[in-house]
Amino acid sequence: MYDIIVIGGGHAGCEAALAPARMGLKILLVTAKISKIAHMPCNPSIGGPAKGIVVREIDALGGEMGRNTDKSHIQMRLLNTGKGPGVQALRAQADKVDYPKNMQTTLLNQQNLTIIEEMVDDLIIEDKKIIGVLLENREKYFAKAVIITAGTYLQAKIMLSNEKWSSGPDDEKPSLNLSDNLRNLGFETLRLKTGTPPRVAIDTIDYSKTEIQRGDMEYHAFSYDTTDYKPLENQVPCYLTYTNLDTHEIILKNLSKSSMYGAIENIDSKGPRYCPSIEDKIVRFNDKTRHQIFLEPESIHIPEIYVQGFSTSLPKDVQDIMIHTIKGLENCRIVRYAYAIEYDAIDPTQLWATLESKLIENLYFAGQVNGTSGYEEAAGQGLMAGINAALKIKGKAPFILKRNEAYIGVMIDDLVTKGTQEPYRLLTSRAEYRLLLRHDNADMRLRDYGYKFGLIDKSRFQKFTNKKAKIENELNRLSNIKILPTNDVNNYLNSNESAVLKDSITALNLLKRPEISYCNIMDLLNEETLLTKAEIQQIEIQIKYEGYIKKTISLVEKMNKLEDKKLSVDIDYLKIPNLALEAKTKLNKIKPLTIGQAKRISGVNPSDISILLVYLESYRKK
């Protein structure tokens, strides 16, 4: 008997298994192959806009993805440095061999965690409550909770031109029966698709015709606890090239040979809007004369290049012709051809915000099975499902991140409140409070939670509290230091193209000037800083963006008043008079827990919310 069984060893499954094991529970991870745990069948990159912040949030909560990326990357860059802190994020090119290998080592050495190689065929249910799983070999394992992290394996089929066959990513064995059994239990499922581009031999590319994309020559880390950095000089560059009109002409001439454009009939699966195939790009953006193609190394151990931006389901001979039209790839050799893959996912509106199923008690879902795309989104859900399953078993309150607390909270709220009809991808535009959800402050937002749940040990937490205290003390100190309008001060300000002082000013208020840095303040005070780069960054952002941050917090406080108005899951909205029919249907399906969540449901209008508020008040008076 286990406390929790986790189905699937992808990025969601890794976090879903590690978190409750570290919280002291007995965990079983069931995966087809241990050697495929944390496998990266698509682009071996971690991070990017919004996604990189999720990885930092995972780390702040005590998850593993950030630490593993720091050990396993071959290049790292901080994106959007020319823009504000609300959109900056790390992106790493992970090593496709080292990343899963290092994660497997972590899982295999984790106390309280057992791993077996098998496939789950069915769930064992009693009285609408899950009690275990049935394996394909007919063995049964029992647990208090089960987390399904089946990725893109549920009834997965690979598509290449007019061919279609049953297979998971990289020709792995798919899960054939589990999604049918979920439907038999009453779950609504979606048919989604994604794709992968060709890989080409690294020594068949003419790099002189491309633009080099190097990693940053300064140390970055996803984890707040990383101290052992990989040598900067060992980073491997990526390269940029472009499609052209010749490429587009070949694609358009052969469009009917694409799986998604007529080569296979009756395909109703939906692909990712924000990571389309090259065919989709040419059709949807027919005014563009070129599209970016990034040549990204997959590993220092594998002589292959991932051709990012060239995902396709066109036949192999067409792939050969069209890739040779691209500068630098005229003589390249494809070693693995592109393909599309379709699979089953569940409608995520069937989940509570804890990621527990509304239909079957103690059954949780996390990752791409919930309709998301991306390793980072999967890992964030896996961590939250693991924490919440553990908390429920321990009889403790659930852990639900608000939209103003984390991108993970935005993602889960979007999924369970709005649902999705296509692979969901996190974007900075999805977060209305993104100035609060920054790359630099994930630990300030979330590390207390990680420590509370036992995922952050005392030494790591002490390091965090020391950092927090140093920032608070320095902000207080700067607010009490007066800088006088002396000749030396004004000459220094002049040299930095900053207005001279006529009256005294606090160091904190002087730092509000866009052109003045914390280092400038130290120069004026004739002091040497004892703070780290990260601590200085926190001070500068809190001071320079104070007005914007306060305005955002004010909006959060207004919204949180609606979040404080709780709704019972037992309400039958069909019986509430004057509600619009669509609102009644949507509210009955989603079963929102607060007025705030109800307001975010598509099809629920402000007038419906007003009626709900009146109903709530009358209900409480009874």
Side-chain angles (χ1 to χ4, degrees), residues 536-559:
I536 291 170
Q537 183 185 40
Q538 275 294 301
I539 288 167
E540 290 190 336
I541 290 173
Q542 288 188 38
I543 291 174
K544 292 183 183 295
Y545 290 86
E546 181 184 24
Y548 298 105
I549 291 171
K550 282 184 176 179
K551 184 177 179 180
T552 304
I553 290 172
S554 177
L555 293 173
V556 169
E557 289 171 348
K558 289 179 182 177
M559 177 52 71

mmCIF file with all atom_site columns, all heavy atoms in Angstrom, residues 536-559:
data_model
loop_
_atom_site.group_PDB
_atom_site.id
_atom_site.type_symbol
_atom_site.label_atom_id
_atom_site.label_alt_id
_atom_site.label_comp_id
_atom_site.label_asym_id
_atom_site.label_entity_id
_atom_site.label_seq_id
_atom_site.pdbx_PDB_ins_code
_atom_site.Cartn_x
_atom_site.Cartn_y
_atom_site.Cartn_z
_atom_site.occupancy
_atom_site.B_iso_or_equiv
_atom_site.pdbx_formal_charge
_atom_site.auth_seq_id
_atom_site.auth_comp_id
_atom_site.auth_asym_id
_atom_site.auth_atom_id
_atom_site.pdbx_PDB_model_num
ATOM 1   N N   . ILE A 1 536 ? 20.956  43.639 -4.847  1.00 0.00 ? 536 ILE A N   1
ATOM 2   C CA  . ILE A 1 536 ? 20.955  44.984 -5.421  1.00 0.00 ? 536 ILE A CA  1
ATOM 3   C C   . ILE A 1 536 ? 19.817  45.123 -6.430  1.00 0.00 ? 536 ILE A C   1
ATOM 4   O O   . ILE A 1 536 ? 19.108  46.146 -6.464  1.00 0.00 ? 536 ILE A O   1
ATOM 5   C CB  . ILE A 1 536 ? 22.313  45.283 -6.086  1.00 0.00 ? 536 ILE A CB  1
ATOM 6   C CG1 . ILE A 1 536 ? 23.409  45.402 -5.016  1.00 0.00 ? 536 ILE A CG1 1
ATOM 7   C CG2 . ILE A 1 536 ? 22.251  46.558 -6.928  1.00 0.00 ? 536 ILE A CG2 1
ATOM 8   C CD1 . ILE A 1 536 ? 24.817  45.452 -5.579  1.00 0.00 ? 536 ILE A CD1 1
ATOM 9   N N   . GLN A 1 537 ? 19.634  44.096 -7.245  1.00 0.00 ? 537 GLN A N   1
ATOM 10  C CA  . GLN A 1 537 ? 18.559  44.116 -8.234  1.00 0.00 ? 537 GLN A CA  1
ATOM 11  C C   . GLN A 1 537 ? 17.204  44.275 -7.558  1.00 0.00 ? 537 GLN A C   1
ATOM 12  O O   . GLN A 1 537 ? 16.347  45.056 -8.007  1.00 0.00 ? 537 GLN A O   1
ATOM 13  C CB  . GLN A 1 537 ? 18.589  42.831 -9.057  1.00 0.00 ? 537 GLN A CB  1
ATOM 14  C CG  . GLN A 1 537 ? 17.545  42.773 -10.162 1.00 0.00 ? 537 GLN A CG  1
ATOM 15  C CD  . GLN A 1 537 ? 17.522  41.434 -10.871 1.00 0.00 ? 537 GLN A CD  1
ATOM 16  O OE1 . GLN A 1 537 ? 17.646  40.375 -10.242 1.00 0.00 ? 537 GLN A OE1 1
ATOM 17  N NE2 . GLN A 1 537 ? 17.377  41.458 -12.192 1.00 0.00 ? 537 GLN A NE2 1
ATOM 18  N N   . GLN A 1 538 ? 16.977  43.554 -6.460  1.00 0.00 ? 538 GLN A N   1
ATOM 19  C CA  . GLN A 1 538 ? 15.721  43.662 -5.729  1.00 0.00 ? 538 GLN A CA  1
ATOM 20  C C   . GLN A 1 538 ? 15.498  45.082 -5.219  1.00 0.00 ? 538 GLN A C   1
ATOM 21  O O   . GLN A 1 538 ? 14.398  45.626 -5.329  1.00 0.00 ? 538 GLN A O   1
ATOM 22  C CB  . GLN A 1 538 ? 15.717  42.693 -4.544  1.00 0.00 ? 538 GLN A CB  1
ATOM 23  C CG  . GLN A 1 538 ? 15.287  41.303 -4.877  1.00 0.00 ? 538 GLN A CG  1
ATOM 24  C CD  . GLN A 1 538 ? 13.830  41.243 -5.282  1.00 0.00 ? 538 GLN A CD  1
ATOM 25  O OE1 . GLN A 1 538 ? 12.943  41.621 -4.528  1.00 0.00 ? 538 GLN A OE1 1
ATOM 26  N NE2 . GLN A 1 538 ? 13.576  40.808 -6.494  1.00 0.00 ? 538 GLN A NE2 1
ATOM 27  N N   . ILE A 1 539 ? 16.541  45.674 -4.676  1.00 0.00 ? 539 ILE A N   1
ATOM 28  C CA  . ILE A 1 539 ? 16.434  47.032 -4.137  1.00 0.00 ? 539 ILE A CA  1
ATOM 29  C C   . ILE A 1 539 ? 16.094  48.023 -5.247  1.00 0.00 ? 539 ILE A C   1
ATOM 30  O O   . ILE A 1 539 ? 15.199  48.867 -5.097  1.00 0.00 ? 539 ILE A O   1
ATOM 31  C CB  . ILE A 1 539 ? 17.749  47.417 -3.428  1.00 0.00 ? 539 ILE A CB  1
ATOM 32  C CG1 . ILE A 1 539 ? 17.862  46.644 -2.107  1.00 0.00 ? 539 ILE A CG1 1
ATOM 33  C CG2 . ILE A 1 539 ? 17.833  48.923 -3.182  1.00 0.00 ? 539 ILE A CG2 1
ATOM 34  C CD1 . ILE A 1 539 ? 19.225  46.683 -1.474  1.00 0.00 ? 539 ILE A CD1 1
ATOM 35  N N   . GLU A 1 540 ? 16.786  47.915 -6.365  1.00 0.00 ? 540 GLU A N   1
ATOM 36  C CA  . GLU A 1 540 ? 16.549  48.849 -7.466  1.00 0.00 ? 540 GLU A CA  1
ATOM 37  C C   . GLU A 1 540 ? 15.138  48.715 -8.023  1.00 0.00 ? 540 GLU A C   1
ATOM 38  O O   . GLU A 1 540 ? 14.465  49.716 -8.293  1.00 0.00 ? 540 GLU A O   1
ATOM 39  C CB  . GLU A 1 540 ? 17.584  48.634 -8.569  1.00 0.00 ? 540 GLU A CB  1
ATOM 40  C CG  . GLU A 1 540 ? 18.985  49.077 -8.177  1.00 0.00 ? 540 GLU A CG  1
ATOM 41  C CD  . GLU A 1 540 ? 19.955  49.087 -9.332  1.00 0.00 ? 540 GLU A CD  1
ATOM 42  O OE1 . GLU A 1 540 ? 19.729  48.349 -10.312 1.00 0.00 ? 540 GLU A OE1 1
ATOM 43  O OE2 . GLU A 1 540 ? 20.941  49.842 -9.268  1.00 0.00 ? 540 GLU A OE2 1
ATOM 44  N N   . ILE A 1 541 ? 14.671  47.487 -8.206  1.00 0.00 ? 541 ILE A N   1
ATOM 45  C CA  . ILE A 1 541 ? 13.328  47.281 -8.759  1.00 0.00 ? 541 ILE A CA  1
ATOM 46  C C   . ILE A 1 541 ? 12.264  47.787 -7.788  1.00 0.00 ? 541 ILE A C   1
ATOM 47  O O   . ILE A 1 541 ? 11.317  48.487 -8.195  1.00 0.00 ? 541 ILE A O   1
ATOM 48  C CB  . ILE A 1 541 ? 13.096  45.793 -9.090  1.00 0.00 ? 541 ILE A CB  1
ATOM 49  C CG1 . ILE A 1 541 ? 13.956  45.389 -10.294 1.00 0.00 ? 541 ILE A CG1 1
ATOM 50  C CG2 . ILE A 1 541 ? 11.621  45.522 -9.382  1.00 0.00 ? 541 ILE A CG2 1
ATOM 51  C CD1 . ILE A 1 541 ? 13.929  43.912 -10.604 1.00 0.00 ? 541 ILE A CD1 1
ATOM 52  N N   . GLN A 1 542 ? 12.416  47.479 -6.503  1.00 0.00 ? 542 GLN A N   1
ATOM 53  C CA  . GLN A 1 542 ? 11.409  47.910 -5.532  1.00 0.00 ? 542 GLN A CA  1
ATOM 54  C C   . GLN A 1 542 ? 11.322  49.426 -5.444  1.00 0.00 ? 542 GLN A C   1
ATOM 55  O O   . GLN A 1 542 ? 10.230  49.983 -5.266  1.00 0.00 ? 542 GLN A O   1
ATOM 56  C CB  . GLN A 1 542 ? 11.724  47.310 -4.155  1.00 0.00 ? 542 GLN A CB  1
ATOM 57  C CG  . GLN A 1 542 ? 11.459  45.822 -4.067  1.00 0.00 ? 542 GLN A CG  1
ATOM 58  C CD  . GLN A 1 542 ? 11.595  45.287 -2.652  1.00 0.00 ? 542 GLN A CD  1
ATOM 59  O OE1 . GLN A 1 542 ? 11.214  45.957 -1.697  1.00 0.00 ? 542 GLN A OE1 1
ATOM 60  N NE2 . GLN A 1 542 ? 12.128  44.084 -2.516  1.00 0.00 ? 542 GLN A NE2 1
ATOM 61  N N   . ILE A 1 543 ? 12.470  50.101 -5.602  1.00 0.00 ? 543 ILE A N   1
ATOM 62  C CA  . ILE A 1 543 ? 12.474  51.563 -5.510  1.00 0.00 ? 543 ILE A CA  1
ATOM 63  C C   . ILE A 1 543 ? 12.022  52.207 -6.820  1.00 0.00 ? 543 ILE A C   1
ATOM 64  O O   . ILE A 1 543 ? 11.148  53.070 -6.837  1.00 0.00 ? 543 ILE A O   1
ATOM 65  C CB  . ILE A 1 543 ? 13.883  52.068 -5.118  1.00 0.00 ? 543 ILE A CB  1
ATOM 66  C CG1 . ILE A 1 543 ? 14.199  51.666 -3.667  1.00 0.00 ? 543 ILE A CG1 1
ATOM 67  C CG2 . ILE A 1 543 ? 13.985  53.578 -5.284  1.00 0.00 ? 543 ILE A CG2 1
ATOM 68  C CD1 . ILE A 1 543 ? 15.609  51.987 -3.225  1.00 0.00 ? 543 ILE A CD1 1
ATOM 69  N N   . LYS A 1 544 ? 12.588  51.776 -7.931  1.00 0.00 ? 544 LYS A N   1
ATOM 70  C CA  . LYS A 1 544 ? 12.319  52.427 -9.218  1.00 0.00 ? 544 LYS A CA  1
ATOM 71  C C   . LYS A 1 544 ? 10.900  52.155 -9.731  1.00 0.00 ? 544 LYS A C   1
ATOM 72  O O   . LYS A 1 544 ? 10.340  52.967 -10.465 1.00 0.00 ? 544 LYS A O   1
ATOM 73  C CB  . LYS A 1 544 ? 13.358  51.990 -10.250 1.00 0.00 ? 544 LYS A CB  1
ATOM 74  C CG  . LYS A 1 544 ? 14.768  52.512 -9.956  1.00 0.00 ? 544 LYS A CG  1
ATOM 75  C CD  . LYS A 1 544 ? 15.740  52.103 -11.041 1.00 0.00 ? 544 LYS A CD  1
ATOM 76  C CE  . LYS A 1 544 ? 17.149  52.562 -10.715 1.00 0.00 ? 544 LYS A CE  1
ATOM 77  N NZ  . LYS A 1 544 ? 17.274  54.038 -10.690 1.00 0.00 ? 544 LYS A NZ  1
ATOM 78  N N   . TYR A 1 545 ? 10.331  51.011 -9.378  1.00 0.00 ? 545 TYR A N   1
ATOM 79  C CA  . TYR A 1 545 ? 8.998   50.657 -9.866  1.00 0.00 ? 545 TYR A CA  1
ATOM 80  C C   . TYR A 1 545 ? 7.940   50.747 -8.764  1.00 0.00 ? 545 TYR A C   1
ATOM 81  O O   . TYR A 1 545 ? 6.853   50.194 -8.892  1.00 0.00 ? 545 TYR A O   1
ATOM 82  C CB  . TYR A 1 545 ? 9.011   49.241 -10.456 1.00 0.00 ? 545 TYR A CB  1
ATOM 83  C CG  . TYR A 1 545 ? 9.782   49.146 -11.753 1.00 0.00 ? 545 TYR A CG  1
ATOM 84  C CD1 . TYR A 1 545 ? 11.158  48.944 -11.754 1.00 0.00 ? 545 TYR A CD1 1
ATOM 85  C CD2 . TYR A 1 545 ? 9.147   49.277 -12.983 1.00 0.00 ? 545 TYR A CD2 1
ATOM 86  C CE1 . TYR A 1 545 ? 11.877  48.872 -12.943 1.00 0.00 ? 545 TYR A CE1 1
ATOM 87  C CE2 . TYR A 1 545 ? 9.847   49.204 -14.178 1.00 0.00 ? 545 TYR A CE2 1
ATOM 88  C CZ  . TYR A 1 545 ? 11.211  48.995 -14.147 1.00 0.00 ? 545 TYR A CZ  1
ATOM 89  O OH  . TYR A 1 545 ? 11.920  48.930 -15.326 1.00 0.00 ? 545 TYR A OH  1
ATOM 90  N N   . GLU A 1 546 ? 8.280   51.476 -7.705  1.00 0.00 ? 546 GLU A N   1
ATOM 91  C CA  . GLU A 1 546 ? 7.394   51.529 -6.539  1.00 0.00 ? 546 GLU A CA  1
ATOM 92  C C   . GLU A 1 546 ? 5.977   51.968 -6.900  1.00 0.00 ? 546 GLU A C   1
ATOM 93  O O   . GLU A 1 546 ? 4.987   51.365 -6.468  1.00 0.00 ? 546 GLU A O   1
ATOM 94  C CB  . GLU A 1 546 ? 7.975   52.481 -5.491  1.00 0.00 ? 546 GLU A CB  1
ATOM 95  C CG  . GLU A 1 546 ? 7.126   52.575 -4.229  1.00 0.00 ? 546 GLU A CG  1
ATOM 96  C CD  . GLU A 1 546 ? 7.659   53.601 -3.245  1.00 0.00 ? 546 GLU A CD  1
ATOM 97  O OE1 . GLU A 1 546 ? 8.374   54.531 -3.686  1.00 0.00 ? 546 GLU A OE1 1
ATOM 98  O OE2 . GLU A 1 546 ? 7.361   53.497 -2.050  1.00 0.00 ? 546 GLU A OE2 1
ATOM 99  N N   . GLY A 1 547 ? 5.841   53.005 -7.708  1.00 0.00 ? 547 GLY A N   1
ATOM 100 C CA  . GLY A 1 547 ? 4.514   53.509 -8.062  1.00 0.00 ? 547 GLY A CA  1
ATOM 101 C C   . GLY A 1 547 ? 3.704   52.486 -8.829  1.00 0.00 ? 547 GLY A C   1
ATOM 102 O O   . GLY A 1 547 ? 2.513   52.280 -8.545  1.00 0.00 ? 547 GLY A O   1
ATOM 103 N N   . TYR A 1 548 ? 4.330   51.844 -9.812  1.00 0.00 ? 548 TYR A N   1
ATOM 104 C CA  . TYR A 1 548 ? 3.637   50.820 -10.614 1.00 0.00 ? 548 TYR A CA  1
ATOM 105 C C   . TYR A 1 548 ? 3.256   49.617 -9.751  1.00 0.00 ? 548 TYR A C   1
ATOM 106 O O   . TYR A 1 548 ? 2.177   49.034 -9.907  1.00 0.00 ? 548 TYR A O   1
ATOM 107 C CB  . TYR A 1 548 ? 4.529   50.374 -11.772 1.00 0.00 ? 548 TYR A CB  1
ATOM 108 C CG  . TYR A 1 548 ? 4.880   51.471 -12.747 1.00 0.00 ? 548 TYR A CG  1
ATOM 109 C CD1 . TYR A 1 548 ? 6.149   52.032 -12.750 1.00 0.00 ? 548 TYR A CD1 1
ATOM 110 C CD2 . TYR A 1 548 ? 3.942   51.952 -13.653 1.00 0.00 ? 548 TYR A CD2 1
ATOM 111 C CE1 . TYR A 1 548 ? 6.486   53.048 -13.639 1.00 0.00 ? 548 TYR A CE1 1
ATOM 112 C CE2 . TYR A 1 548 ? 4.267   52.962 -14.555 1.00 0.00 ? 548 TYR A CE2 1
ATOM 113 C CZ  . TYR A 1 548 ? 5.537   53.508 -14.537 1.00 0.00 ? 548 TYR A CZ  1
ATOM 114 O OH  . TYR A 1 548 ? 5.866   54.503 -15.416 1.00 0.00 ? 548 TYR A OH  1
ATOM 115 N N   . ILE A 1 549 ? 4.174   49.245 -8.852  1.00 0.00 ? 549 ILE A N   1
ATOM 116 C CA  . ILE A 1 549 ? 3.924   48.086 -7.990  1.00 0.00 ? 549 ILE A CA  1
ATOM 117 C C   . ILE A 1 549 ? 2.751   48.370 -7.051  1.00 0.00 ? 549 ILE A C   1
ATOM 118 O O   . ILE A 1 549 ? 1.862   47.533 -6.865  1.00 0.00 ? 549 ILE A O   1
ATOM 119 C CB  . ILE A 1 549 ? 5.192   47.710 -7.205  1.00 0.00 ? 549 ILE A CB  1
ATOM 120 C CG1 . ILE A 1 549 ? 6.252   47.136 -8.163  1.00 0.00 ? 549 ILE A CG1 1
ATOM 121 C CG2 . ILE A 1 549 ? 4.877   46.704 -6.102  1.00 0.00 ? 549 ILE A CG2 1
ATOM 122 C CD1 . ILE A 1 549 ? 7.617   46.930 -7.537  1.00 0.00 ? 549 ILE A CD1 1
ATOM 123 N N   . LYS A 1 550 ? 2.719   49.580 -6.484  1.00 0.00 ? 550 LYS A N   1
ATOM 124 C CA  . LYS A 1 550 ? 1.621   49.943 -5.582  1.00 0.00 ? 550 LYS A CA  1
ATOM 125 C C   . LYS A 1 550 ? 0.282   49.940 -6.313  1.00 0.00 ? 550 LYS A C   1
ATOM 126 O O   . LYS A 1 550 ? -0.743  49.497 -5.783  1.00 0.00 ? 550 LYS A O   1
ATOM 127 C CB  . LYS A 1 550 ? 1.881   51.320 -4.959  1.00 0.00 ? 550 LYS A CB  1
ATOM 128 C CG  . LYS A 1 550 ? 2.899   51.302 -3.820  1.00 0.00 ? 550 LYS A CG  1
ATOM 129 C CD  . LYS A 1 550 ? 3.034   52.682 -3.201  1.00 0.00 ? 550 LYS A CD  1
ATOM 130 C CE  . LYS A 1 550 ? 3.980   52.646 -1.996  1.00 0.00 ? 550 LYS A CE  1
ATOM 131 N NZ  . LYS A 1 550 ? 4.142   53.994 -1.394  1.00 0.00 ? 550 LYS A NZ  1
ATOM 132 N N   . LYS A 1 551 ? 0.286   50.426 -7.555  1.00 0.00 ? 551 LYS A N   1
ATOM 133 C CA  . LYS A 1 551 ? -0.935  50.457 -8.349  1.00 0.00 ? 551 LYS A CA  1
ATOM 134 C C   . LYS A 1 551 ? -1.428  49.035 -8.620  1.00 0.00 ? 551 LYS A C   1
ATOM 135 O O   . LYS A 1 551 ? -2.636  48.748 -8.528  1.00 0.00 ? 551 LYS A O   1
ATOM 136 C CB  . LYS A 1 551 ? -0.668  51.183 -9.668  1.00 0.00 ? 551 LYS A CB  1
ATOM 137 C CG  . LYS A 1 551 ? -1.907  51.369 -10.533 1.00 0.00 ? 551 LYS A CG  1
ATOM 138 C CD  . LYS A 1 551 ? -1.586  52.172 -11.791 1.00 0.00 ? 551 LYS A CD  1
ATOM 139 C CE  . LYS A 1 551 ? -2.825  52.344 -12.661 1.00 0.00 ? 551 LYS A CE  1
ATOM 140 N NZ  . LYS A 1 551 ? -2.517  53.118 -13.891 1.00 0.00 ? 551 LYS A NZ  1
ATOM 141 N N   . THR A 1 552 ? -0.487  48.132 -8.940  1.00 0.00 ? 552 THR A N   1
ATOM 142 C CA  . THR A 1 552 ? -0.854  46.740 -9.198  1.00 0.00 ? 552 THR A CA  1
ATOM 143 C C   . THR A 1 552 ? -1.389  46.077 -7.935  1.00 0.00 ? 552 THR A C   1
ATOM 144 O O   . THR A 1 552 ? -2.378  45.338 -7.983  1.00 0.00 ? 552 THR A O   1
ATOM 145 C CB  . THR A 1 552 ? 0.362   45.959 -9.730  1.00 0.00 ? 552 THR A CB  1
ATOM 146 O OG1 . THR A 1 552 ? 0.869   46.609 -10.888 1.00 0.00 ? 552 THR A OG1 1
ATOM 147 C CG2 . THR A 1 552 ? -0.022  44.533 -10.086 1.00 0.00 ? 552 THR A CG2 1
ATOM 148 N N   . ILE A 1 553 ? -0.751  46.346 -6.804  1.00 0.00 ? 553 ILE A N   1
ATOM 149 C CA  . ILE A 1 553 ? -1.207  45.776 -5.535  1.00 0.00 ? 553 ILE A CA  1
ATOM 150 C C   . ILE A 1 553 ? -2.618  46.253 -5.206  1.00 0.00 ? 553 ILE A C   1
ATOM 151 O O   . ILE A 1 553 ? -3.443  45.494 -4.674  1.00 0.00 ? 553 ILE A O   1
ATOM 152 C CB  . ILE A 1 553 ? -0.215  46.119 -4.403  1.00 0.00 ? 553 ILE A CB  1
ATOM 153 C CG1 . ILE A 1 553 ? 1.102   45.347 -4.610  1.00 0.00 ? 553 ILE A CG1 1
ATOM 154 C CG2 . ILE A 1 553 ? -0.808  45.799 -3.036  1.00 0.00 ? 553 ILE A CG2 1
ATOM 155 C CD1 . ILE A 1 553 ? 2.210   45.742 -3.663  1.00 0.00 ? 553 ILE A CD1 1
ATOM 156 N N   . SER A 1 554 ? -2.912  47.516 -5.540  1.00 0.00 ? 554 SER A N   1
ATOM 157 C CA  . SER A 1 554 ? -4.254  48.043 -5.309  1.00 0.00 ? 554 SER A CA  1
ATOM 158 C C   . SER A 1 554 ? -5.294  47.272 -6.132  1.00 0.00 ? 554 SER A C   1
ATOM 159 O O   . SER A 1 554 ? -6.378  46.945 -5.632  1.00 0.00 ? 554 SER A O   1
ATOM 160 C CB  . SER A 1 554 ? -4.292  49.525 -5.681  1.00 0.00 ? 554 SER A CB  1
ATOM 161 O OG  . SER A 1 554 ? -5.595  50.049 -5.544  1.00 0.00 ? 554 SER A OG  1
ATOM 162 N N   . LEU A 1 555 ? -4.941  46.941 -7.389  1.00 0.00 ? 555 LEU A N   1
ATOM 163 C CA  . LEU A 1 555 ? -5.840  46.136 -8.228  1.00 0.00 ? 555 LEU A CA  1
ATOM 164 C C   . LEU A 1 555 ? -6.028  44.735 -7.648  1.00 0.00 ? 555 LEU A C   1
ATOM 165 O O   . LEU A 1 555 ? -7.130  44.179 -7.672  1.00 0.00 ? 555 LEU A O   1
ATOM 166 C CB  . LEU A 1 555 ? -5.272  46.044 -9.643  1.00 0.00 ? 555 LEU A CB  1
ATOM 167 C CG  . LEU A 1 555 ? -5.224  47.341 -10.462 1.00 0.00 ? 555 LEU A CG  1
ATOM 168 C CD1 . LEU A 1 555 ? -4.472  47.118 -11.777 1.00 0.00 ? 555 LEU A CD1 1
ATOM 169 C CD2 . LEU A 1 555 ? -6.630  47.853 -10.746 1.00 0.00 ? 555 LEU A CD2 1
ATOM 170 N N   . VAL A 1 556 ? -4.937  44.177 -7.122  1.00 0.00 ? 556 VAL A N   1
ATOM 171 C CA  . VAL A 1 556 ? -4.993  42.845 -6.511  1.00 0.00 ? 556 VAL A CA  1
ATOM 172 C C   . VAL A 1 556 ? -5.942  42.852 -5.314  1.00 0.00 ? 556 VAL A C   1
ATOM 173 O O   . VAL A 1 556 ? -6.759  41.936 -5.137  1.00 0.00 ? 556 VAL A O   1
ATOM 174 C CB  . VAL A 1 556 ? -3.585  42.388 -6.070  1.00 0.00 ? 556 VAL A CB  1
ATOM 175 C CG1 . VAL A 1 556 ? -3.671  41.140 -5.191  1.00 0.00 ? 556 VAL A CG1 1
ATOM 176 C CG2 . VAL A 1 556 ? -2.712  42.106 -7.288  1.00 0.00 ? 556 VAL A CG2 1
ATOM 177 N N   . GLU A 1 557 ? -5.838  43.885 -4.497  1.00 0.00 ? 557 GLU A N   1
ATOM 178 C CA  . GLU A 1 557 ? -6.677  43.964 -3.305  1.00 0.00 ? 557 GLU A CA  1
ATOM 179 C C   . GLU A 1 557 ? -8.156  44.023 -3.667  1.00 0.00 ? 557 GLU A C   1
ATOM 180 O O   . GLU A 1 557 ? -9.004  43.429 -3.000  1.00 0.00 ? 557 GLU A O   1
ATOM 181 C CB  . GLU A 1 557 ? -6.267  45.177 -2.460  1.00 0.00 ? 557 GLU A CB  1
ATOM 182 C CG  . GLU A 1 557 ? -4.915  44.985 -1.776  1.00 0.00 ? 557 GLU A CG  1
ATOM 183 C CD  . GLU A 1 557 ? -4.393  46.250 -1.119  1.00 0.00 ? 557 GLU A CD  1
ATOM 184 O OE1 . GLU A 1 557 ? -4.981  47.337 -1.385  1.00 0.00 ? 557 GLU A OE1 1
ATOM 185 O OE2 . GLU A 1 557 ? -3.403  46.172 -0.373  1.00 0.00 ? 557 GLU A OE2 1
ATOM 186 N N   . LYS A 1 558 ? -8.481  44.747 -4.756  1.00 0.00 ? 558 LYS A N   1
ATOM 187 C CA  . LYS A 1 558 ? -9.880  44.809 -5.209  1.00 0.00 ? 558 LYS A CA  1
ATOM 188 C C   . LYS A 1 558 ? -10.358 43.437 -5.670  1.00 0.00 ? 558 LYS A C   1
ATOM 189 O O   . LYS A 1 558 ? -11.476 43.017 -5.352  1.00 0.00 ? 558 LYS A O   1
ATOM 190 C CB  . LYS A 1 558 ? -10.012 45.823 -6.339  1.00 0.00 ? 558 LYS A CB  1
ATOM 191 C CG  . LYS A 1 558 ? -9.867  47.268 -5.903  1.00 0.00 ? 558 LYS A CG  1
ATOM 192 C CD  . LYS A 1 558 ? -9.987  48.220 -7.097  1.00 0.00 ? 558 LYS A CD  1
ATOM 193 C CE  . LYS A 1 558 ? -9.801  49.668 -6.657  1.00 0.00 ? 558 LYS A CE  1
ATOM 194 N NZ  . LYS A 1 558 ? -9.853  50.608 -7.808  1.00 0.00 ? 558 LYS A NZ  1
ATOM 195 N N   . MET A 1 559 ? -9.501  42.754 -6.449  1.00 0.00 ? 559 MET A N   1
ATOM 196 C CA  . MET A 1 559 ? -9.885  41.434 -6.932  1.00 0.00 ? 559 MET A CA  1
ATOM 197 C C   . MET A 1 559 ? -9.998  40.438 -5.783  1.00 0.00 ? 559 MET A C   1
ATOM 198 O O   . MET A 1 559 ? -10.893 39.590 -5.772  1.00 0.00 ? 559 MET A O   1
ATOM 199 C CB  . MET A 1 559 ? -8.876  40.940 -7.965  1.00 0.00 ? 559 MET A CB  1
ATOM 200 C CG  . MET A 1 559 ? -9.141  39.526 -8.486  1.00 0.00 ? 559 MET A CG  1
ATOM 201 S SD  . MET A 1 559 ? -10.834 39.255 -9.099  1.00 0.00 ? 559 MET A SD  1
ATOM 202 C CE  . MET A 1 559 ? -10.773 40.238 -10.596 1.00 0.00 ? 559 MET A CE  1
#
